Amino acid sequence: FKSGGATQLAEFDAIMERAVQEGKQWDIDELLKNLKTFTRSFQRRNIRFLGVANLDVFADRSNYIFGRSEVNGAYGMISCRRFTADFNGDTPNRKRLVERTVKQVLSSYGSMLGAPRCSMPTCARAYPHNLEEHDAKSSELCAACRDCFEKALGVKLKRPEKTPNPD
């Protein structure tokens, strides 16, 4: 903030607010470019930026995506717009919205850490082709993805607690 970053963040917030007001679909690569531009003064070694937007986004030939990030990079952007009940005509469910968003954060952040795309269908980082597949995934990382996170971050992650078998 001392280096003028507060002004840059305010400009970025204004752009994002206009985006929400316009209600159209947005190119996620343009959003990433803006995130990079407006966080430039905050760039440091080992600092990563993950933008979260409530905008409907697309990329390349995909008419919608949930997120995109730089592989082995410092930047990623996710959209929770298609996770929302109002977008899908569902009953609002905050827990479901948080779970969907956490899975996407893990997927995008893993790419930023250099973890390869996961092919384990139940892993939070598995690529979903639609919202139903996204919902079917676990909110946990598979062993291979967990190892990638631990290696990249240099820490041991807390293991999920095992649920006792009711039988």
Side-chain angles (χ1 to χ4, degrees):
F1 286 103
K2 290 179 184 176
S3 65
T7 302
Q8 290 174 316
L9 287 178
E11 289 174 18
F12 182 71
D13 285 344
I15 288 171
M16 295 304 289
E17 183 60 33
R18 280 194 305 274
V20 169
Q21 299 302 321
E22 292 182 21
K24 66 177 189 174
Q25 199 172 36
W26 295 87
D27 183 338
I28 200 164
D29 292 322
E30 286 297 314
L31 295 175
L32 265 171
K33 186 172 113 180
N34 281 310
L35 180 63
K36 285 180 180 183
T37 298
F38 291 107
T39 58
R40 187 169 290 132
S41 65
F42 298 105
Q43 289 178 340
R44 304 286 183 281
R45 186 174 176 262
N46 293 326
I47 293 182
R48 293 176 180 88
F49 300 89
L50 183 63
V52 180
N54 187 19
L55 301 172
D56 192 22
V57 295
F58 71 92
D60 306 320
R61 287 181 269 155
S62 297
N63 64 348
Y64 74 90
I65 60 172
F66 300 140
R68 176 169 276 187
S69 55
E70 298 174 333
V71 176
N72 283 317
Y75 292 93
M77 175 69 72
I78 70 165
S79 170
C80 59
R81 182 70 188 130
R82 288 186 179 248
F83 300 157
T84 63
D86 63 318
F87 185 89
N88 294 297
D90 294 333
T91 303
N93 182 328
R94 184 170 176 78
K95 182 178 183 234
R96 181 182 60 209
L97 176 61
V98 169
E99 286 176 358
R100 288 171 171 173
T101 304
V102 165
K103 291 174 192 180
Q104 189 57 48
V105 166
L106 288 170
S107 181
S108 295
Y109 192 66
S111 294
M112 293 165 67
L113 294 176
R117 173 69 67 198
C118 187
S119 60
M120 178 76 68
T122 58
C123 178
R125 294 199 60 249
Y127 181 82
H129 294 94
N130 53 50
L131 191 56
E132 291 76 27
E133 287 182 13
H134 189 74
D135 285 341
K137 300 186 303 181
S138 167
S139 295
E140 302 291 335
L141 298 171
C142 69
C145 287
R146 179 176 297 282
D147 289 346
C148 286
F149 271 64
E150 289 177 344
K151 184 177 177 185
L153 297 171
V155 296
K156 284 287 188 192
L157 299 177
K158 181 179 174 186
R159 302 288 182 208
E161 293 181 22
K162 302 253 183 202
T163 306
N165 189 343
D167 295 333

